[in-house]
Amino acid sequence: MDQEALNELATYLHSRITKVVLNGVYEITDFVEKTVSDSTVALNFLIPAADVSMVTLIEVKGQNIRVSSKAVNVPNLSDTLMLETFEIEEVTD
């Protein structure tokens, strides 16, 4: 697969991501930054400490899709800037 195809897939994924859901209930739809560079999608989002004191699950979602789901254990004592990246790669196995 050529690099252009990988870039197109990353651009498509970027267009489908609409929110981050924390702990299954708290939705973040305003990203500090949401970019695509070559075959990598990057999301920067802020977790306000006043709303979420402990993060146990981070899900990246779009309409009718779940892109990523990660169990975590992150105490949130002050507003925290998070970064999620997705690199589109060719599998050769």
Side-chain angles (χ1 to χ4, degrees):
M1 183 176 283
D2 63 26
Q3 187 62 43
E4 183 178 339
L6 297 174
N7 297 351
E8 288 174 7
L9 289 170
T11 299
Y12 177 73
L13 177 62
H14 174 268
S15 73
R16 296 290 309 268
I17 294 171
T18 59
K19 63 185 171 182
V20 172
V21 180
L22 304 176
N23 303 335
V25 294
Y26 187 83
E27 292 189 3
I28 298 171
T29 56
D30 293 323
F31 300 106
V32 174
E33 188 171 21
K34 179 179 158 193
T35 61
V36 62
S37 177
D38 296 325
S39 59
T40 301
V41 177
L43 301 174
N44 281 313
F45 56 93
L46 186 67
I47 303 174
D51 296 336
V52 181
S53 61
M54 174 67 92
V55 181
T56 57
L57 179 66
I58 300 173
E59 296 174 288
V60 177
K61 295 184 172 186
Q63 187 173 350
N64 301 320
I65 64 166
R66 181 171 59 194
V67 176
S68 171
S69 180
K70 296 177 187 170
V72 297
N73 188 20
V74 180
N76 192 39
L77 304 177
S78 62
D79 292 351
T80 303
L81 183 63
M82 298 290 289
L83 171 65
E84 286 277 340
T85 59
F86 302 93
E87 187 172 347
I88 308 300
E89 297 177 322
E90 180 180 6
V91 177
T92 57
D93 293 350

